[in-house]
């Protein structure tokens, strides 16, 4: 993973953390207003998927966080319980990779998994155009367009993971198997191995 991958990962984690920190304070206001704080597109996707009960579990945070570690600290979970939603371009075609917050994506493993000649990080405009969300707030599902999704097996190491709810200030909890199912993801091993 390149330095830009690490920066994007940090942005996604930051979104999650920031959402988690403000969740407690915003929970009362959200409940009173009926607004979960999630991005409207994501809130609509939850309703379409029959996940209305999840609206009450979305946490909103006042400040964005900058790293997956800060996100985990704000939520009060392990770093690996943060689910990063990272968009790559495989031969120019966007693909979403769901990865735990403690790990990095091995781009070569993604390339091999997809049978692509070249895989790179998608630029910010491509991420927004493809998903409907800005980097740092991309959720694992509820996107503007149908995108191929790969989910790293490491997400299954936990009973619950936390993912962005469409903004850098909101996150939601979900069992990883359920999250992978709703994302329509293929379970793969694309985590960068550490020496």
């Amino acid at each position: 993973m390149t330095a830009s991958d690490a920066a994007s990962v940090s942005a996604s984690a930051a979104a999650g953390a920031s959402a988690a920190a403000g969740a407690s304070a915003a929970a009362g206001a959200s409940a009173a207003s009926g607004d979960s704080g999630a991005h409207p597109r994501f809130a609509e996707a939850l309703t379409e998927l029959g996940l209305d009960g999840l609206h009450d579990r979305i946490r909103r945070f006042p400040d964005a966080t900058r790293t997956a570690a800060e996100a985990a600290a704000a939520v009060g979970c392990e770093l690996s319980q943060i689910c990063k939603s990272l968009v790559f371009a495989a031969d120019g075609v966007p693909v979403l990779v769901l990865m735990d917050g403690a790990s990095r994506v091995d781009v070569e493993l993604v390339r091999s998994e997809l049978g692509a000649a070249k895989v790179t990080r998608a630029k910010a405009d491509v991420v927004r155009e493809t998903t409907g969300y800005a980097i740092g707030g991309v959720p694992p599902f509820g996107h503007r367009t149908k995108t191929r999704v790969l989910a790293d097996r490491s997400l299954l190491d936990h009973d619950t993971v936390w993912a962005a709810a469409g903004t850098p200030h909101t996150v939601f909890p979900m069992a990883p198997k359920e999250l992978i199912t709703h994302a329509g993801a293929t379970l793969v091993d694309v985590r960068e191995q550490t020496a």
Side-chain angles (χ1 to χ4, degrees), residues 98-111:
L98 304 177
M99 178 62 68
D100 78 81
S103 300
R104 293 180 169 205
V105 174
D106 185 322
V107 177
E108 181 56 29
L109 290 176
V110 172
R111 188 199 64 72

Side-chain angles (χ1 to χ4, degrees), residues 7 15 18 24 28 74 85 93 98 115 120 122-123 138 140-141 153 156 166 182:
S18 135
S24 298
S85 297
V93 178
L98 304 177
T120 59
K123 294 184 178 181
V138 177
F141 52 85
R153 198 171 306 280
L156 298 176
H182 288 303

Side-chain angles (χ1 to χ4, degrees), residues 4 8 10-11 20 24 36 52-53 63 69 82 88 94 97-98 106 108 119-120 131 134 136 141-142 169-170 176 178:
S4 72
S8 295
S10 292
S24 298
S36 67
D52 287 318
D63 299 315
I82 299 296
F88 292 84
V97 177
L98 304 177
D106 185 322
E108 181 56 29
V119 173
T120 59
T131 67
F141 52 85
H169 299 277
T170 54
E178 184 181 1

Side-chain angles (χ1 to χ4, degrees), residues 22-39:
S24 298
S30 291
S33 69
D35 177 18
S36 67
H39 187 285

Side-chain angles (χ1 to χ4, degrees), residues 59-71:
R59 291 191 186 176
R60 180 169 175 74
F61 299 95
D63 299 315
T65 54
R66 302 292 172 218
T67 67
E70 290 173 349

